[in-house]
Amino acid sequence: MLLSLVLVAGAVAGGLALHRSSADSDQAIASPKTSGPPEIDETARAAGVNKVLLRRAQAVQRDNEQEFLQDVDPANKTLRQAQKLLFENLRQFGFASLQYEQLREQFDQRLVDKYGPSTYLVGVVMRYQIKGIDPQPVRTMLGYTFVQKPDGSWLLVSDSDMDHLLPRGSHQEAWDLGQILVKRAPRVLIVVERNQTKLAQNLAAKAVSAVEAVSKAWPGGWTGSGVVIALDDKIVRGADYTVPKNAEDALAMATWVYRTLPGEVTAMGERADSYVVINPRNRDKVDARTLAHEFTHVATAPYGAFAPRWLVEGAATYVEFLPMAGEENLALDKYRKEVQTKYLAKAKGLPADDVFFKDSNSSYPMSWLAVDYLFRHFGGIEVGTLYQEMASLGETQAERNRIMLEHLNLTEGRLFLALKKEAAG
């Protein structure tokens, strides 16, 4: 059963996280209540709605628009047009699998008054796997409103009545947001506006280079894929570029994709990977290095949510700065000295999670410096193993210290002193 959920930003330019909300949150999913009159056979209703959901999923797989629209209210032209567009978008992704599953029933008297006594409002999980992209089936949430027809079958009359109850970011997938174009390249999927073919080609070339760079650089290799969403919408998958600092500073965000949603199995949810969402305001500033940074977040997303921010962003920046096909090599020795002089000399410790993005101008360079030190002194395999354990188990400072001592014979404090010593040497 799904717990009350709410999506909150975990970073200005990093991933996003779903966390449980308080019971009185205006975005929380309410406790289940029975909707409709007592004479409704709930078992029969569930079976009838399941038929509709199955038919919709199969219609996408079969490329059958008529079948997809079969159970959509024929009197609601706006809904039917939106569902037609949804079908056109979904069919471009090439799903290896697609299912819709009922979750919790909700009750809203206003909707009963609007649609009639058989009104059935229910949370729905869309379980899907994009062929060649998602390593396993993943999940996102929707809310559907159904009414019963005279013949006993069920009709979809709305797909947005429940949006305000869903976790933030739900029903804001790329396929939900107007006319789109999906372009594929090796291990890459790009989503842009329908008329942005040139942009799609440009991003695909950069993304391919970035995927190759992360695959080569990340310890043990990375065999995953990169999804890049570059739409005009400012809110996509929970990446919110209407927030002033995000709108001005962020180039892109790696937004988490879940194999089990937060609250289903674990409070934090189990991550499968991430999709990258580009800030439409800063689209022209995104290069292969930017995407390599975000794809490093994609590669490490399955590890867990507990790695310290300096390690998360430091690792992504470390990979971003490495030599990369099609990009000019960076003068890293010179940059290292600049960071030591400009930021390390004034710092009192590694960037803390709670102030990381408030002091991002110094946090990113300092984090890079720390991870660069780890790679140079301990090697990639040790750093990769450290990252996995910190992300999985490093929920407290005590656990982080224990893991670092086990792998490096250093704590975060000792690592900072080692950086100071190297700079002075």
Side-chain angles (χ1 to χ4, degrees):
M1 296 290 282
L2 212 61
L3 299 177
S4 296
L5 307 173
V6 63
L7 189 95
V8 296
V12 173
L16 301 174
L18 284 163
H19 297 284
R20 285 182 291 179
S21 71
S22 60
D24 60 352
S25 169
D26 61 1
Q27 294 189 38
I29 297 176
S31 300
K33 298 179 181 179
T34 303
S35 64
E39 63 268 19
I40 288 291
D41 184 332
E42 294 185 8
T43 300
R45 180 179 61 190
V49 170
N50 279 339
K51 287 182 180 180
V52 175
L53 298 178
L54 176 61
R55 184 156 42 237
R56 287 170 64 81
Q58 290 178 339
V60 175
Q61 299 289 68
R62 296 169 180 168
D63 195 13
N64 189 326
E65 180 185 279
Q66 182 178 357
E67 188 176 15
F68 188 80
L69 297 175
Q70 178 178 329
D71 303 294
V72 179
D73 184 3
N76 190 334
K77 294 182 179 180
T78 301
L79 177 63
R80 288 186 69 84
Q81 186 60 36
Q83 289 292 302
K84 184 177 185 296
L85 178 58
L86 174 62
F87 173 79
E88 293 171 356
N89 288 344
L90 288 172
R91 60 188 290 274
Q92 296 185 64
F93 282 84
F95 294 106
S97 64
L98 176 63
Q99 293 177 293
Y100 295 97
E101 307 166 5
Q102 296 181 68
L103 285 177
R104 287 186 174 185
E105 178 186 358
Q106 303 296 314
F107 178 76
D108 189 326
Q109 185 61 50
R110 293 169 299 177
L111 297 181
V112 174
D113 295 341
K114 179 178 180 179
Y115 299 117
S118 68
T119 299
Y120 178 50
L121 180 66
V122 62
V124 173
V125 163
M126 178 181 173
R127 183 174 184 269
Y128 68 90
Q129 183 175 14
I130 302 174
K131 188 180 304 181
I133 298 296
D134 297 311
Q136 57 192 295
V138 295
R139 297 160 77 82
T140 187
M141 284 197 66
L142 298 163
Y144 286 162
T145 308
F146 295 95
V147 297
Q148 191 170 32
K149 296 164 63 176
D151 66 2
S153 62
W154 291 85
L155 195 67
L156 178 67
V157 295
S158 175
D159 66 351
S160 60
D161 289 331
M162 196 173 162
D163 282 359
H164 67 291
L165 297 175
L166 298 176
R168 181 178 155 204
S170 300
H171 204 195
Q172 293 173 336
E173 299 288 348
W175 47 74
D176 294 317
L177 301 173
Q179 293 184 323
I180 63 170
L181 170 68
V182 177
K183 179 176 177 57
R184 283 181 177 263
R187 294 174 61 189
V188 165
L189 186 144
I190 308 295
V191 185
V192 296
E193 303 290 338
R194 182 70 58 87
N195 61 347
Q196 293 287 340
T197 302
K198 186 175 180 180
L199 174 63
Q201 294 171 340
N202 181 273
L203 287 174
K206 294 174 181 177
V208 167
S209 178
V211 165
E212 292 174 352
V214 177
S215 299
K216 180 180 178 181
W218 191 248
W222 174 56
T223 59
S225 300
V227 174
V228 180
I229 302 170
L231 299 174
D232 293 340
D233 298 82
K234 294 181 175 62
I235 301 177
V236 182
R237 305 201 78 254
D240 188 349
Y241 293 117
T242 65
V243 175
K245 188 170 180 57
N246 290 353
E248 296 168 7
D249 300 336
L251 300 184
M253 292 186 184
T255 59
W256 297 332
V257 183
Y258 291 88
R259 60 190 179 93
T260 64
L261 291 169
E264 285 187 297
V265 177
T266 67
M268 295 294 292
E270 299 170 311
R271 304 179 196 173
D273 53 78
S274 297
Y275 298 163
V276 176
V277 179
I278 292 177
N279 183 352
R281 179 174 178 174
N282 294 328
R283 190 178 293 158
D284 59 344
K285 299 178 183 178
V286 171
D287 57 14
R289 291 193 180 280
T290 304
L291 294 180
H293 181 110
E294 300 305 327
F295 289 162
T296 303
H297 290 317
V298 176
T300 55
Y303 298 166
F306 300 125
R309 186 56 58 184
W310 67 263
L311 181 57
V312 173
E313 296 300 337
T317 307
Y318 175 84
V319 174
E320 175 187 356
F321 286 178
L322 292 176
M324 187 180 305
E327 297 289 330
E328 183 179 353
N329 286 352
L330 303 178
L332 293 182
D333 288 341
K334 180 180 179 181
Y335 180 66
R336 187 179 298 112
K337 292 184 183 302
E338 289 178 353
V339 175
Q340 290 170 339
T341 301
K342 187 174 182 180
Y343 299 111
L344 179 63
K346 302 175 183 177
K348 297 181 179 180
L350 296 178
D353 290 356
D354 58 348
V355 297
F356 190 97
F357 295 107
K358 294 178 182 178
D359 304 319
S360 59
N361 287 340
S362 60
S363 295
Y364 278 92
M366 281 289 295
S367 297
W368 172 83
L369 188 69
V371 173
D372 172 67
Y373 180 93
L374 295 181
F375 269 92
R376 287 187 290 109
H377 287 267
F378 297 93
I381 298 301
E382 193 65 62
V383 174
T385 304
L386 172 73
Y387 194 124
Q388 291 188 50
E389 290 198 27
M390 292 278 266
S392 176
L393 303 172
E395 189 171 5
T396 66
Q397 189 60 53
E399 279 297 295
R400 291 176 179 181
N401 287 338
R402 180 191 63 78
I403 294 166
M404 289 189 67
L405 284 169
E406 179 181 325
H407 286 275
L408 313 176
N409 197 30
L410 292 171
T411 61
E412 290 184 354
R414 291 182 192 174
L415 172 58
F416 176 74
L417 294 177
L419 295 178
K420 285 276 197 179
K421 182 178 180 181
E422 182 177 67

